[in-house]
């Protein structure tokens, strides 16, 4: 259905204009059904049939939804007994100069260059609204436990160090923690061009003057956007961290939670795979394709003026939302490990996707686009994993009431699972690249962080499984019992549950840090546990207890996820937890390999590596401590 097509409307829809919609009672529509009038379909009523909330309702009213944001006024539909706050909304637009603009209806326009004044004005309006009306930033308290929130970056780029006509800037040392600044989220590429980064040899020169002409184009474009938004300071990792100083890198990388969490806005360069490419030269499409899928309503107002309204209905324009969601999920930026926490932690993000800019903040219920459209409803938005704004708000706002179990579920099912889909150029960055997120979760939970897991929830945390064959890095990165020891996608089979009974106890633990950051790189670690160890044999792809032939579940090796690879083998397993239901029980266990002679091992020690997991299965036998004592051995062991 194209906007140029002559539409057929019912007598009720013919009366839709800004005057009838903005009247106190709205426009009374069908009494019994919005779907047809006298057996004839209406080109506007018909798409409404896809909205289930309208099914089986009666006495419908159409109204101009009160403007509560800078996005647009929408066409609202309510019904008898319904509240306007629950109304079904449809984006609505008008033409430049149309009298409908006086009622707050947004002008539809063609996409413009991302560096156009129109795009910048739109972005500034989004920023101003969020900054003044939302609470998209953690509140600073005097509590020592939240002191990390006040950590300021050591350096910022001052864009107003010289004349306003100068493109040059300079690096400054931050002495106050209340400076408003933007951050940049982007892809370096395989390597950063020589001389582009800040090093021990050039930092003093850059503190005097940083010439824009010597920077990669993406960084130059970031300076341009920041200035256009009216922001004086900018933080860029390549420029604000001394890249050849391991000491400075460790100190500043440990501040990621506060650097991005306290930023005014993050500029996200989504498509560019290399910092040399730049992101402001994209040419817009000739026309927003969604304009071809809007229902045009023409009417004459009481003043005699002609007015056009364009109603956009998702059901006849699925291409638009699907295309942009695919863009946001498949961009170069969304595939990189470091940029995950940058998006998670930033309270506001301005996405640059080719010629289109998108807005995202913690309180937005969708992702607005500068062309006036929006990725709006939750059913669609949840496909952009995860719903960053909601999860970040839960975690970063101490005043938000949320159960520990919900935070843990977010950690396992959203944060870790999504992070593991991303790639890292340096494999030893697995822990540092998410240290900022780990810090904010630790602040809310109050738990002990151990190499990607939580000590107080270790029985469930150890239950991770790889989706495909895990890849082990060439050099040591983490103990075998944590998901951070492998590369590849991980998940927690069966999902998080508070109804599980755990059968292991922590006796002691040790994590050997490489530096001073408790969320950063490690060079060793172990868990000392007490629990039930059993022997089993794999038959027909299932693990059977050797002493009772009870089926315990489906065993998988982390390094080889092919079913049947363990067929006929005897394996040793450690019971982690059991969920006892009314009819069935679900078990989770680890597959262990005992270590031989090792440095530091004394007689009597039992040292093990994790090599796989047992995926929970439905069992018709009731398992409890008494059952384990009969068929397993309770022992103390160390996992490495």
């Amino acid at each position: 259905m194209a906007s140029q097509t002559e539409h057929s409307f019912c007598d009720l829809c013919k009366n839709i204009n800004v005057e009838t919609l903005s009247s106190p009672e709205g426009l009374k529509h069908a009494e019994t059904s919005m779907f047809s009038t006298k057996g004839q379909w209406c080109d506007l009523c018909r798409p409404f049939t896809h909205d289930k909330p309208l099914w089986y309702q009666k006495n419908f009213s159409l109204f101009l939804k009160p403007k509560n944001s800078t996005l647009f006024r929408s066409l609202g539909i309510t019904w008898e007994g319904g509240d306007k706050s629950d109304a079904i909304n449809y984006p609505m637009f008008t033409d430049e100069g149309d009298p409908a603009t006086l009622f707050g209806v947004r002008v539809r326009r063609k996409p413009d260059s991302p560096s156009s004044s129109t795009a910048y004005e739109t972005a500034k309006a989004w920023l101003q609204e969020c900054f003044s009306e939302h609470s998209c930033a953690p509140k600073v308290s005097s509590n020592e436990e939240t002191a990390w929130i006040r950590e300021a970056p050591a350096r910022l780029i001052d864009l107003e160090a010289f004349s306003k006509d100068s493109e040059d800037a300079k690096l400054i040392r931050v002495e106050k923690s209340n400076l408003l600044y933007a951050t940049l989220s982007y892809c370096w590429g395989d390597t950063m061009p020589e001389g582009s980064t800040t090093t021990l040899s050039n930092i003093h020169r850059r503190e005097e003057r940083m010439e824009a002409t010597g920077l990669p184009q993406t960084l130059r474009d970031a300076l341009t956007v920041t200035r256009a938004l009216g922001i004086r300071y900018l933080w860029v990792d390549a420029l604000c961290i001394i890249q050849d100083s391991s000491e400075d890198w460790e100190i500043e990388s440990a501040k990621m939670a506060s650097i991005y969490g306290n930023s005014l806005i993050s500029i996200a360069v989504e498509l560019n795979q290399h910092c040399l490419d730049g992101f402001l030269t994209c040419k817009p499409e000739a026309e927003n394709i969604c304009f071809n899928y809007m229902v045009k309503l023409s009417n004459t107002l009481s003043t005699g003026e002609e007015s056009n309204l364009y109603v956009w209905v998702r059901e006849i324009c699925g291409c638009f939302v699907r295309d942009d969601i695919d863009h946001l999920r498949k961009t170069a930026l969304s595939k990189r490990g470091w940029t995950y926490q940058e998006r998670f932690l930033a309270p506001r993000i301005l996405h640059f996707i080719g010629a289109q800019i998108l807005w995202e903040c913690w309180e937005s219920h969708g992702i607005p686009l500068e062309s006036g459209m929006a990725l709006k409803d939750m059913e669609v938005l949840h496909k952009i994993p995860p719903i960053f704004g909601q999860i970040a708000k839960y975690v970063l706002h101490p005043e938000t009431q949320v159960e520990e179990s919900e935070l843990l579920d977010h950690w396992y099912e959203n944060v870790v699972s999504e992070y593991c889909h991303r790639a890292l150029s340096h494999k030893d960055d697995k822990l540092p690249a998410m240290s900022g997120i780990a810090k904010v979760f630790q602040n809310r939970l109050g738990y002990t962080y151990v190499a990607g897991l939580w000590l107080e929830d270790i029985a469930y945390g150890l239950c991770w499984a790889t989706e495909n064959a895990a890849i082990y890095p060439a050099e040591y990165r983490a103990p075998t019992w944590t998901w951070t020891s492998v590369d590849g996608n991980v998940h927690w089979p069966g999902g998080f549950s508070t109804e599980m009974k755990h059968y292991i106890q922590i006796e002691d633990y040790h994590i050997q840090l490489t530096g001073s950051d408790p969320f950063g790189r490690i060079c060793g670690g172990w868990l000392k546990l007490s629990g039930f160890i059993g022997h089993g044999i794999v038959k027909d792809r299932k693990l059977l207890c050797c002493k009772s032939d009870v089926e315990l579940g489906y065993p998988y090796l982390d390094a080889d996820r092919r079913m049947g690879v363990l067929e006929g083998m005897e394996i040793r397993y450690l019971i982690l937890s059991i969920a006892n239901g009314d009819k069935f029980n679900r078990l989770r266990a680890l597959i262990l390999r005992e270590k031989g002679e090792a440095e530091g091992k004394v007689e009597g020690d039992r040292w093990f590596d994790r090599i796989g997991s047992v995926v929970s299965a439905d069992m018709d036998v009731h398992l409890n401590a008494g059952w384990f004592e009969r068929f397993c051995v309770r022992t103390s062991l160390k996992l490495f």
Side-chain angles (χ1 to χ4, degrees), residues 11 38 48 88 167 218 223 225 262 337 362 449 584:
D11 292 338
K38 295 181 180 180
F48 297 154
I88 304 299
E167 294 184 359
T218 291
L223 268 61
V225 171
N262 288 330
W362 291 352
Y449 186 71
F584 296 103

Side-chain angles (χ1 to χ4, degrees), residues 95-148:
D95 296 319
E96 186 78 42
D98 192 289
T101 59
L102 301 178
F103 291 78
V105 180
R106 189 181 179 104
V107 174
R108 66 169 194 160
R109 67 175 185 83
K110 297 178 181 179
D112 211 335
S113 165
S115 59
S116 70
S117 59
T118 306
Y120 288 143
E121 289 303 315
T122 301
K124 288 170 68 175
W126 285 333
L127 177 59
Q128 180 59 40
E129 180 200 17
C130 180
F131 193 59
S132 60
E133 299 181 19
H134 296 173
S135 57
C136 293
K139 293 182 178 179
V140 177
S141 98
S142 58
N143 191 328
E144 289 184 2
E145 293 182 358
T146 59
W148 62 269

Side-chain angles (χ1 to χ4, degrees), residues 539-555:
K539 291 183 179 179
D540 297 325
R541 300 180 176 181
K542 295 178 182 178
L543 174 63
L544 306 181
C545 175
C546 284
K547 296 183 179 181
S548 69
D549 281 341
V550 169
E551 294 181 1
L552 299 178
Y554 299 93

